[in-house]
């Protein structure tokens, strides 16, 4: 019970030893001294809260917010001392805000729980009591024997016991873990490989000892002790025996394995970062602004308290005849009285801190997030997937991104390779309708319709069909009975490959007539134009990154010994002594310029004596106990020489649609793109070139294959020097995982300097946690840029969780990335709409919302402060308590909320077609200190005009009513409040560019509602109110013509300066966004903001007239006659992508 409670609270007992002992099928020793080790259950948890910790954890997170904590203190003060306002005025809004936020965050976490439950509740088969038992994934225990069928995902980390194959091998794809789509072969130890039935496995008595869980995907150390006929056989276990959770079984009917790591201890889960509360830059700015306003509040409260006591130094004001003190008041401590007065002023002015800001922001984020899901431009029809929002707290952060970190496989690419071209014997070929056609020939040309293959072509295709590690689906036959056309094109075989390139090449060869039909024993079978041939496989010279090639030695049907080699051109061409080397080199360069992945193919014939020598040297190297790798490398180099070049291939890794345009758009928007991939160096560079991440004109710098700290540091210094010397051209950096580890250990600053001076960075061979480290490195650099990570596999989860904004791609590599992301989209191309349109809108909306809230609260509370100078600082309130409570809740809340949901200051198509507009809002431009200062000063200015304007027009001896009566205290306060409600609402109307009927309804409706409510509230004697101060006050105020004149005059005086400032700034210093506020709508042009309409030869009066028209609606399309010219610098940069059609003066 205690352990369960600890788990529910998020605690996990530490492991007691460095190793774990696992008894297969949980057959524990029978002696009484054995104490079983405690292991985690198999539940995956991506949620933040549990039923038990939701309330305390959520309250802690909410009270970290300055405003919430402040209002809690104010509420407690109101409970403890006698204050001018009721505790309800602070307690009720606080309770409302906390509750709404908790419900929203609880709902979002419930969605995560739901997703977790789907994974944890997945059906699995476990061997128990001599049979297969169906259970749920979460019920698997360490030691259970689990059965996994073909194409299923492993539910835990398993040690392979047996498969449907005699040798105990199976094939696995780890695409969702490390991004690699190739098949990996795993093998069982011989003693368990023979146990292929449930009955035999149930009799197995064995113990596994292995290391405790660690995050490294490629490391596993253990041993298995199998008891057979009173004999114990010990076998070593390595990574080749471990099947990782999240990987998928391929090309194997079924396997049995024993669970060694479960739940959050699996390697996949350990590569997740813990879920932390992400906070947007806007929220941090809000907290800073709140602290400034708190200082203003404290200053006003302290000043008022000091002035009160300075005023009361005169005896006649200390205790006037109409307000005598009680005996208790006379005898009370002066210090306590000072503190009490200070706290009372604090409560009186506390509305300068807008608590309703937080709840409005929460509602805006929550409701606004639905627009992403509803956007049809983000809907992918083929897969029927729409964008989804997992965390709405970061909407505005989408408009602030400076760095994008993207995975390659499945994010930029479709995980599909396609054969495009090849070069054979110095002639370029393309595949046309299942035939190899030389360049320049077609079906219609005299020689175009050729039958069969010439000798060089057939030999090249045989080399492609024999030099690989491709396997054939075990469910299929060798294809002998398959349907064949005259030229032997069609093959029904399904291939699995250790490299996607190899699969594409073997499939291409099969389409043009040379088909690899499988391996039978030690023979490779090929059909050449329908004629079967059998090649005996003698040796495989495995691929390694240093040689950058692989080879096979085979015996042909005629008994000839042949070496077939394929690899990178840099490793094949220098070793070739014959063939069309120069022509092939030119063709390879042409393929590379097209962004194709290139491989060269060569062969060599051996004499019997040469082969005998090679066989002897290979055997010696492979059986060496010391320096085996060096000896093998020497022998491989000895064998792979004097080659005859056959040709080269060009394969395209199919990019997702519009990837190149999206990356180019991100670059134009000032966003730097880093590609982080687990793929090998050559593959990654090739895709970077083809997707436009690296340009052909870019100088590519490399920091790869460094084994020591000193060489890495020296290379970094050389790169930094090169960048300084060639500062004119653009640089791209390629770095691999091992070099990155060395660079981050001691030379972090130098590495960052090199990276920041490069236009594009590519990191290859990256482990999942290394991806997160790179993101953290940028996040914590002095500039503190906003980062975005996008990926589709489990190997991207850490990176997605580390970045400020994490986006999951709904790809082919499982749902882990989507479940742990903040946003999920179906394709990489949707990123541009998400950032340039939704991000832009969300940021502009919330920036205005936040600053408007501070503005209207300064307008609200400053007259209260000024009024104290006229009431002897007696803490008399200027407004009625009902007005105090309803000002933020009812009278001024809806216009700004609707604005923050619907505002579109520029048309979406314009934003997406002009990525440079994104730069206008970068680096929190609209929530910096200058805009904040402007709004605050404007608030104070308006407050002074409200108060002193009313005071001057409604002066002491002015009789304003028909019967000669004068206005009283409450009438004056109501007049100030009326002017304030109208002005702040009209100010919101001035800020609105996109008017809908809802905007009109809430803007003018709020003012009407205020008048109706005030008439209703002041026109009835309410029995539950202990005072009737406001009875008939509002009716009397509105019966005075002078009051109406004062209201109109003060409102116009406040807003006139603001209008003039907008006109001057937009005509004299327009921003790029203001210039772009033109868009096409129907047959004419709608002007979303009058100040964007720059007209030739127009007088200033005409501009002002249009501005005033704009305030009431939209400017007339017929009056807009300026079009963007080709010389305009704003449009010069972005003709390459998504540019709108030009507008001429007749249209505009």
């Amino acid at each position: 019970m205690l352990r369960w409670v600890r788990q529910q609270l998020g605690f996990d007992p530490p492991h007691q030893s460095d190793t774990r002992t696992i008894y297969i099928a949980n057959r524990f020793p029978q002696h009484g001294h054995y104490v079983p080790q405690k292991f985690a259950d198999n539940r995956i948890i991506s949620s933040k809260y549990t039923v038990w910790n939701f309330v305390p954890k959520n309250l802690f997170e909410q009270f970290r917010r300055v405003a919430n904590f402040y209002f809690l203190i104010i509420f407690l003060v109101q409970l403890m001392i006698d204050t001018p306002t009721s505790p309800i005025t602070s307690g009720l809004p606080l309770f409302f805000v906390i509750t709404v936020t908790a419900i929203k965050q609880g709902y979002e976490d419930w969605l995560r729980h739901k997703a977790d439950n789907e994974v944890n509740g997945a059906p699995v088969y476990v061997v128990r009591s001599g049979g297969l038992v169906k259970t749920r994934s979460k019920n698997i225990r360490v030691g259970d024997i689990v059965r996994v069928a073909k194409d299923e995902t492993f539910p835990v980390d398993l040690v392979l016991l047996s498969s449907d194959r005699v040798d105990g091998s199976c094939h696995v794809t780890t695409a969702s873990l490390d991004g690699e789509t190739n098949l990996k072969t795993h093998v069982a130890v011989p003693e368990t490989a023979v146990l292929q039935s449930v009955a035999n496995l149930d009799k197995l008595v064995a113990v596994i000892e292995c290391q405790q869980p660690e995050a490294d995907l490629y490391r596993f150390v253990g041993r298995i002790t199998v008891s057979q006929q009173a004999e114990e056989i010990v076998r070593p276990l390595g990574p080749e025996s471990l099947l990782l959770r999240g990987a998928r079984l391929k090309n194997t009917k079924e396997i049995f394995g024993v669970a060694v790591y479960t739940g959050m201890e699996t390697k996949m889960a350990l590569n997740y970062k813990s879920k932390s509360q992400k906070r947007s830059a806007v929220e941090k700015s809000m907290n800073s602004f709140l602290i400034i306003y708190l200082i203003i509040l404290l200053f006003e409260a302290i000043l008022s308290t000091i002035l009160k006591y300075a005023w009361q130094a005169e005896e006649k004001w200390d205790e006037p005849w109409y307000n005598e003190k009680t005996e208790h008041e006379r005898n009370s401590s002066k210090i306590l009285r000072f503190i009490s007065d200070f706290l009372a002023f604090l409560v009186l002015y506390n509305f300068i801190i807008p608590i309703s800001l937080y709840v409005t922001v929460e509602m805006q984020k929550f409701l606004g997030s639905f627009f992403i899901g509803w956007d049809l431009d983000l809907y992918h029809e083929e897969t029927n997937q729409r964008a989804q929002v997992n965390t709405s707290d970061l909407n505005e952060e989408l408009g602030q991104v400076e760095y994008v970190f993207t995975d390659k496989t499945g994010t930029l690419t479709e995980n599909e390779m396609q054969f495009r071209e090849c070069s054979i014997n110095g002639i370029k070929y393309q595949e046309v309708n299942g035939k190899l056609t030389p360049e320049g020939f077609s079906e219609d040309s005299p020689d175009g319709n050729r039958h069969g293959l010439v000798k060089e072509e057939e030999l090249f295709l045989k080399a492609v069909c024999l030099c690989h590690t491709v396997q054939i689906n075990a469910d299929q036959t060798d294809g002998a009975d398959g349907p064949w056309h005259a030229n032997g094109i069609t093959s029904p075989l399904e291939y699995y490959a250790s490299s996607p390139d190899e699969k594409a090449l073997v499939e291409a060869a099969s389409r043009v007539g040379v088909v690899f039909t499988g391996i039978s024993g030690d023979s490779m079978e090929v059909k050449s134009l329908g004629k079967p041939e059998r090649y005996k496989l003698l040796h495989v010279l495995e691929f390694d990154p240093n040689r950058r090639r692989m080879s096979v030695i085979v015996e042909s049907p005629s008994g000839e010994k042949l070496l077939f080699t394929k690899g990178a051109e840099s490793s094949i061409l220098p070793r070739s002594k014959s063939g069309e080397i120069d022509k092939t080199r030119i063709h390879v360069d042409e393929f590379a310029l097209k962004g194709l992945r290139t491989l060269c193919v060569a062969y060599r014939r051996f004499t019997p004596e040469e082969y005998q020598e090679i066989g002897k040297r290979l055997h010696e190297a492979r059986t060496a106990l010391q320096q085996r790798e060096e000896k093998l490398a020497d022998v491989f180099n000895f064998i792979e020489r004097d080659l005859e070049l056959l040709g080269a291939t060009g394969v395209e890794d199919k990019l997702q649609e519009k990837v190149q345009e999206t990356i180019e758009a991100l670059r134009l928007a000032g966003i730097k793109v880093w590609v982080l991939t687990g793929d090998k160096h050559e593959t990654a560079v090739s895709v970077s070139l083809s997707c436009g991440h690296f340009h052909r004109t870019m100088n590519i710098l490399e920091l790869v294959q460094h084994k020591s700290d000193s060489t890495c540091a020296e290379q970094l210094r050389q790169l930094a020097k090169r960048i300084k010397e060639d500062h004119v051209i653009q640089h791209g950096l390629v770095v691999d995982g091992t070099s990155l580890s060395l660079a981050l250990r001691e030379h972090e600053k130098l590495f960052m300097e090199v990276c920041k001076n490069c236009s594009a960075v590519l990191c290859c061979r990256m482990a999942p946690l290394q991806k997160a480290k790179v993101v953290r490195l940028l996040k914590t650099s002095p500039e503190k840029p906003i980062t975005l990570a996008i990926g589709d596999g489990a190997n991207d989860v850490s990176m997605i969780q580390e970045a400020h904004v994490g986006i999951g791609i709904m790809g082919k590599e499982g749902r882990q990335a989507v479940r742990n992301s903040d946003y999920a989209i179906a394709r990489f191309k949707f990123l541009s709409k998400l950032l340039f349109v939704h991000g832009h809108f969300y940021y502009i909306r919330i920036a205005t919302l936040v600053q408007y809230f501070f503005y209207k609260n300064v307008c609200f509370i400053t007259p209260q402060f000024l009024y104290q100078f006229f009431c002897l600082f007696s803490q008399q309130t200027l407004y009625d308590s009902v007005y105090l409570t309803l000002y933020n809740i009812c009278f001024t809340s809806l216009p700004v909320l609707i604005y923050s949901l619907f505002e579109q200051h520029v048309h979406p198509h314009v934003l997406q077609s002009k990525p440079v507009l994104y730069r206008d809002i970068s680096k929190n431009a609209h929530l910096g200190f200058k805009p904040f200062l402007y709004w605050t000063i404007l608030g104070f200015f308006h407050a002074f005009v409200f108060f002193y304007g009313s005071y001057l027009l409604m002066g002491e001896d002015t009789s304003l009513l028909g019967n000669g009566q004068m206005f009283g205290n409450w009438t004056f306060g109501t007049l100030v409040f009326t002017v304030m409600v109208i002005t702040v609402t009209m100010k919101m109307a001035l800020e609105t560019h996109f008017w809908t009927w809802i905007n009109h309804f809430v803007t003018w409706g709020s003012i009407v509602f205020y008048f109706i409510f005030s008439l209703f509230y002041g026109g009835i004697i309410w029995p539950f109110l202990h005072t009737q101060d406001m009875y008939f006050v509002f009716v009397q105020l509105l019966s005075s013509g002078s009051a109406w004149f004062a209201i109109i005059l003060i409102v116009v005086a406040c807003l006139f300066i603001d209008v003039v400032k907008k006109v001057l700034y937009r005509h004299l210093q327009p921003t790029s966004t203001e210039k772009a506020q033109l868009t096409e709508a129907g047959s004419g042009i709608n002007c979303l903001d009058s100040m964007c309409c720059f007209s030739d030869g127009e007088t200033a009066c005409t501009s002002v007239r249009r501005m005033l028209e704009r305030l009431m609606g939209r400017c007339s399309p017929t009056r807009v006659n300026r079009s963007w010219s080709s010389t305009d610098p704003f449009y010069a940069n972005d003709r390459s992508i998504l540019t709108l059609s030009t507008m001429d003066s007749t249209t505009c």
Side-chain angles (χ1 to χ4, degrees), residues 335-615:
I335 295 171
L336 286 176
R337 266 191 295 156
F338 185 90
I339 293 169
S340 178
D341 281 327
F342 168 72
L343 291 173
F345 279 119
L346 207 63
V347 169
L348 190 65
Y349 303 148
N350 83 78
F351 286 96
I352 198 171
I353 306 290
I355 189 171
S356 54
L357 168 63
Y358 273 120
V359 75
T360 309
V361 166
E362 293 288 350
M363 287 172 70
Q364 188 268 344
K365 287 181 174 181
F366 181 65
L367 296 173
S369 64
F370 287 105
F371 291 119
I372 292 177
W374 292 336
D375 190 342
L376 288 176
D377 289 339
L378 301 181
Y379 169 73
H380 192 242
E381 201 168 349
E382 290 171 32
T383 55
N384 190 30
Q385 289 171 330
R386 61 186 179 89
Q388 67 185 57
V389 180
N390 298 329
T391 308
S392 60
D393 288 343
L394 303 169
N395 292 343
E396 65 279 3
E397 208 82 327
L398 293 169
Q400 294 295 294
V401 175
E402 294 170 63
Y403 282 85
V404 167
F405 298 92
T406 174
D407 176 41
K408 179 190 73 69
T409 312
T411 304
L412 299 178
T413 66
E414 292 276 16
N415 268 357
E416 291 176 19
M417 298 289 181
Q418 290 185 338
F419 173 79
R420 288 292 178 218
E421 295 181 68
C422 67
S423 169
I424 305 173
N425 201 31
I427 302 169
K428 272 207 289 190
Y429 290 80
Q430 290 178 329
E431 184 188 349
V432 179
N433 297 330
K435 296 175 189 171
L436 269 188
T437 307
E439 192 175 51
F441 287 83
S442 66
E443 292 278 342
D444 304 326
S445 55
D447 301 323
N449 199 6
R450 307 179 312 149
H451 293 281
L453 298 165
V454 298
K455 184 183 173 187
E456 292 85 357
E457 294 170 358
E458 190 175 358
L459 184 59
F460 174 84
L461 291 171
K462 282 180 181 175
V464 167
C465 277
L466 294 169
C467 184
H468 58 70
T469 55
V470 173
Q471 289 115 20
I472 292 174
N473 191 336
D475 295 340
Q476 296 181 315
T477 64
D478 63 0
D481 303 322
W484 293 91
H485 294 305
N487 61 353
I489 296 168
T490 307
S491 166
L493 300 174
E494 184 183 352
Y495 295 112
Y496 290 105
S498 61
S499 157
D501 301 71
E502 289 186 336
K503 181 172 183 266
L505 291 173
V506 171
E507 284 176 341
S510 73
R511 289 195 298 272
V512 297
V514 180
V515 185
F516 168 64
T517 56
I519 297 177
S520 175
D522 60 354
S523 295
M524 298 181 80
E525 295 173 1
V526 173
K527 275 186 177 176
S528 180
L529 300 176
K531 177 184 162 190
E533 293 181 11
R534 190 182 291 261
Y535 289 80
K536 187 176 182 182
L537 181 62
L538 303 172
H539 297 285
V540 177
L541 280 55
E542 298 85 358
F543 175 87
D544 70 63
N546 294 322
R547 282 170 43 244
R548 298 174 71 186
R549 59 185 179 272
M550 78 156 288
S551 302
V552 292
I553 301 174
V554 296
E555 185 181 316
S556 69
S558 61
E560 202 174 10
K561 307 288 193 301
L562 300 171
L563 168 82
F564 289 112
T565 303
K566 77 168 187 296
E569 73 277 3
S570 58
S571 65
I572 299 289
L573 296 180
R575 299 182 158 268
S576 302
K577 68 169 186 180
S578 59
E580 296 289 348
I581 297 171
D582 293 332
K583 286 184 181 178
T584 305
R585 184 180 279 113
I586 292 167
H587 290 164
V588 165
D589 291 340
E590 287 174 4
F591 295 164
L593 281 168
K594 293 176 184 176
L596 303 181
R597 299 153 64 92
T598 58
L599 288 172
C600 286
V601 183
Y603 84 113
R604 179 184 172 186
R605 298 176 194 273
F606 295 123
T607 63
E609 295 79 18
E610 283 176 331
Y611 178 71
Q612 201 170 357
E613 170 70 10
I614 284 165

Side-chain angles (χ1 to χ4, degrees), residues 623-637:
T623 53
L625 293 175
Q626 303 293 326
Q627 299 178 320
R628 182 184 294 180
E629 289 179 1
E630 290 85 347
K631 288 180 180 177
L632 273 174
D634 290 340
V635 176
F636 287 174
N637 284 329

Side-chain angles (χ1 to χ4, degrees), residues 252-268:
T252 311
K253 282 183 183 174
E254 67 174 13
I255 63 99
F256 290 93
V258 60
V260 288
Y261 304 130
T262 49
M264 298 308 288
E265 292 183 341
T266 57
K267 288 184 182 287
M268 183 184 84

Side-chain angles (χ1 to χ4, degrees), residues 170-174 180-186 248-251 469-471 495-500:
C170 71
H171 300 294
V172 168
T173 175
T174 57
E180 292 192 12
T181 52
N182 56 319
L183 288 186
K184 295 182 172 69
T185 304
H186 291 257
R248 194 179 290 272
L249 184 65
K250 289 283 186 184
N251 204 16
T469 55
V470 173
Q471 289 115 20
Y495 295 112
Y496 290 105
S498 61
S499 157

